[in-house]
Amino acid sequence: MDKKALLTPRKVASQQRSRAMIEALVEATARALIKEGFERANTNRIAEEAGVSIGSLYQYFPGKEALVVAVIERHKSEMVDVMRGTLAKVATLPLDSAVRELVKTMIDAHRVNPDLHRVLVEETPRAGRIGTIDGFDREFYGLIRAYLELHKEELRPMDLDLAAYICVSCKEALTHGAVVDSPEKLNDGNVDAFINEVTTLITRYLK
């Protein structure tokens, strides 16, 4: 079976019962990834966790990889949903306020099942076999790039494409590290301090 076929569902569910079964399989895959990691998770355990037969699983998915792709797409969609409310909100805000809102949004997006996020980022194969949640970063990059273009008169002279990449990379690395790897950094009153520091970092770079 070729690589693309391994990552693609065998058929699309057309009935509500089938859609519910697929959702159960995707949810069971997410739980298996969190509990066992990518390498140890397997289709037999996933089917058992979902309460369906292994034959039913293979009726819709050719293997574990295709199930993980479905988990990635669902998780990415959930993160993007958190972010979309910020799109219109920041367009007319001054730089400091806009950056602050975007940092808050990145924290909220990374708080969507952080244990799963860690597995998908750190354990899922990247060399074209599965893919990653990079689509979230691409959409966030588009938002940042559009904002910088709109407010470029307020910024120092710079390559806006490069600036957007640097801003997204910094926010992604810092929020991922704080939410997923070191959640204690955001306990109690630390959230405001974290947001303030990241906001200062980004705005001083841009001005």
Side-chain angles (χ1 to χ4, degrees):
M1 186 177 294
D2 64 39
K3 188 181 297 183
K4 183 177 180 181
L6 282 171
L7 304 181
T8 306
R10 284 195 161 124
K11 66 179 182 177
V12 177
S14 57
Q15 297 182 352
Q16 183 176 353
R17 182 178 177 182
S18 298
R19 289 194 295 270
M21 183 183 69
I22 287 176
E23 179 58 29
L25 285 167
V26 173
E27 179 59 31
T29 303
R31 290 197 298 268
L33 289 172
I34 293 169
K35 183 178 179 181
E36 303 180 27
F38 175 80
E39 293 299 333
R40 290 175 57 84
N42 62 63
T43 52
N44 285 321
R45 290 196 186 97
I46 290 168
E48 182 179 359
E49 178 75 15
V52 305
S53 69
I54 190 68
S56 295
L57 183 154
Y58 283 122
Q59 186 179 2
Y60 287 92
F61 295 95
K64 177 177 74 173
E65 289 83 358
L67 281 160
V68 174
V69 168
V71 171
I72 290 171
E73 291 304 314
R74 189 183 71 169
H75 184 65
K76 186 166 61 179
S77 177
E78 290 170 345
M79 292 181 73
V80 169
D81 285 346
V82 171
M83 189 185 71
R84 283 200 177 109
T86 307
L87 297 177
K89 184 177 180 180
V90 303
T92 59
L93 292 178
L95 183 63
D96 288 11
S97 299
V99 172
R100 186 176 301 279
E101 288 300 322
L102 291 168
V103 173
K104 289 178 183 177
T105 298
M106 283 291 274
I107 292 173
D108 290 341
H110 280 83
R111 281 175 166 167
V112 177
N113 204 337
D115 292 333
L116 176 63
H117 189 84
R118 181 193 59 76
V119 174
L120 296 179
V121 170
E122 298 176 7
E123 298 187 27
T124 301
R126 291 173 174 268
R129 191 157 70 92
I130 297 260
T132 67
I133 59 170
D134 291 342
F136 171 75
D137 287 345
R138 286 195 297 272
E139 185 146 348
F140 198 63
Y141 168 86
L143 167 62
I144 297 291
R145 179 63 176 80
Y147 179 87
L148 295 180
E149 182 66 39
L150 189 64
H151 294 263
K152 61 184 176 182
E153 298 302 322
E154 305 169 33
L155 311 176
R156 63 181 176 82
M158 63 178 67
D159 180 332
L160 296 185
D161 288 334
L162 179 59
Y165 169 78
I166 289 172
C167 288
V168 170
S169 298
C170 285
K171 290 175 183 175
E172 165 63 26
L174 290 168
T175 53
H176 175 88
V179 175
V180 178
D181 298 327
S182 304
E184 71 279 359
K185 295 187 184 303
L186 299 180
N187 287 343
D188 301 324
N190 294 340
V191 175
D192 287 341
F194 178 86
I195 292 170
N196 288 339
E197 293 301 313
V198 178
T199 299
T200 299
L201 173 69
I202 299 298
T203 53
R204 287 186 178 178
Y205 161 70
L206 292 171
K207 288 184 175 179

